[in-house]
Amino acid sequence: FSQNDHGNFCKCPKCKEINERHKSDGATNLLFVKKLAERIKREIPRLKVMTFAYMWSEIPPEGIEVPDNVYIFNAMMNQCLEHLLTDKLCKYNPKMLKSLFGWAKLTKNLYLWVYITDFLQYPLGIPKTVRFMYLNFQIYKRAGIKGIMYQGNSSSALAFCDLWSYISSR
């Protein structure tokens, strides 16, 4: 249960107050998913509920406990693949690193959705190195990530997409 691919979320006074109190525009989404998961658990205790930390819900909310039957997929939408996550000079990655470890504090069921393509310029791809991938994996391990879904491009032979998909899946 998650938002769609857009920046629209409820900005009514009540939702705005809740999001401001929890310091995240995604607080109302997580509270909804939490209530849903609690109700589902009563009926089907083994069922897991998944939601995204994605776009406007990327920042982990403060003061909300994530139930053990809720799985968070942190969609690393704003991660820069030109730099390591730990590169303090990068415009994007310090925020992504803070978000990643913020979610790791809230749940033991944290997964990643990592983009390994440039959606605006498919044929160009993103300069990638196995070394960067390895070093970022060390960070993911420290954060307790349970699994990773890499979303790449399969429509361009120019960017060696099939080869990159194979390498990244290994």
Side-chain angles (χ1 to χ4, degrees), residues 68-130:
D68 62 352
N69 66 329
V70 172
Y71 285 33
I72 304 291
F73 252 91
N74 187 355
M76 307 282 278
M77 183 75 174
N78 294 310
Q79 178 184 358
C80 169
L81 297 176
E82 300 293 326
H83 303 98
L84 290 172
L85 274 171
T86 53
D87 188 335
K88 293 181 175 136
L89 299 177
C90 179
K91 181 179 176 181
Y92 303 100
N93 287 350
K95 293 176 196 168
M96 293 308 305
L97 194 62
K98 183 178 179 185
S99 173
L100 175 69
F101 279 95
W103 282 108
K105 287 179 187 173
L106 293 178
T107 181
K108 292 178 183 149
N109 298 315
L110 184 59
Y111 294 79
L112 294 182
W113 186 303
V114 179
Y115 298 90
I116 55 171
T117 192
D118 184 338
F119 291 106
L120 299 175
Q121 302 176 41
Y122 274 142
L124 293 179
I126 296 175
K128 311 157 192 93
T129 68
V130 175

